[in-house]
Amino acid sequence: MYAIYWDYDIQHIYDLEHVWVYIGHNDEIISCEVSFHGKYMIGLLSDRSNIQEDGRVQVYVQPGKHAMAALDELFRLLPDVEAVNNEFAGNGGVLENEMFQGQFKFGVNIDKLAEDHLRTFSFQPSFIYTPYEWTADMFVTWDELKAEIPVRLRALLESLSN
């Protein structure tokens, strides 16, 4: 499992998405799942055509939102795929789910500050995708990431308050 963390989603501060890659006994990829707006989808095409030559599964990330899919065209089927990056930017304020409850969302105006900040990043998605290369130093254990998220967010939200 890979938990992929971003400080920002275009609609709210903080986002965490996941990719699950299932490996068989012969080290072959037998399945893949990806997170998609709080749900999950199959991340491996039935013809396995999104397994790259280097053995990695290719998935796409929704512009601004970070949901994942095996086909980039899937995002175009979402009715608000462009609006979330423009007129709906920032409307979620600060996301603080149950796992991090009470660890970083402080202050009465923090959602408004987050909304105003996120609106400065509004954009029109091009739907042109560029491969992203993950480097070894980007990978940490889940325990390290879980401890780092509140620290990063407290610092980010404090900077918005100043």
Side-chain angles (χ1 to χ4, degrees), residues 10 36-37 58 60-67 69 71-86 123-131:
I10 192 63
F36 188 88
H37 299 292
Q58 176 179 309
Y60 294 87
V61 179
Q62 181 182 347
K65 294 298 296 170
H66 307 125
L71 296 170
D72 59 328
E73 192 64 23
L74 180 68
F75 302 127
R76 297 273 197 160
L77 301 176
L78 299 171
D80 63 352
V81 70
E82 294 186 28
V84 296
N85 296 298
N86 293 297
F123 68 99
Q124 180 64 37
S126 69
F127 299 100
I128 297 170
Y129 297 87
T130 304

Side-chain angles (χ1 to χ4, degrees), residues 29-82:
I29 295 172
I30 58 173
S31 188
C32 175
E33 296 172 343
V34 294
S35 59
F36 188 88
H37 299 292
K39 308 267 189 235
Y40 69 94
M41 300 177 65
I42 301 300
L44 184 60
L45 296 173
S46 59
D47 65 0
R48 303 173 59 84
S49 61
N50 64 327
I51 295 180
Q52 300 174 322
E53 287 183 20
D54 63 6
R56 294 182 293 175
V57 179
Q58 176 179 309
V59 296
Y60 294 87
V61 179
Q62 181 182 347
K65 294 298 296 170
H66 307 125
M68 301 198 186
L71 296 170
D72 59 328
E73 192 64 23
L74 180 68
F75 302 127
R76 297 273 197 160
L77 301 176
L78 299 171
D80 63 352
V81 70
E82 294 186 28

Side-chain angles (χ1 to χ4, degrees), residues 4 14 32 43 49 64 70 87 110 129 150 161:
I4 304 170
Y14 161 68
C32 175
S49 61
E87 60 261 31
I110 199 65
Y129 297 87
S161 298

Side-chain angles (χ1 to χ4, degrees), residues 7-10 13 89-90 110-122 156-157 159-160:
D7 287 330
Y8 298 98
D9 173 294
I10 192 63
I13 301 285
I110 199 65
D111 285 316
K112 177 70 171 125
L113 289 171
E115 180 178 345
D116 292 345
H117 180 65
L118 288 168
R119 285 191 183 282
T120 68
F121 297 106
S122 296
L156 173 63
L157 295 172
S159 74
L160 296 181

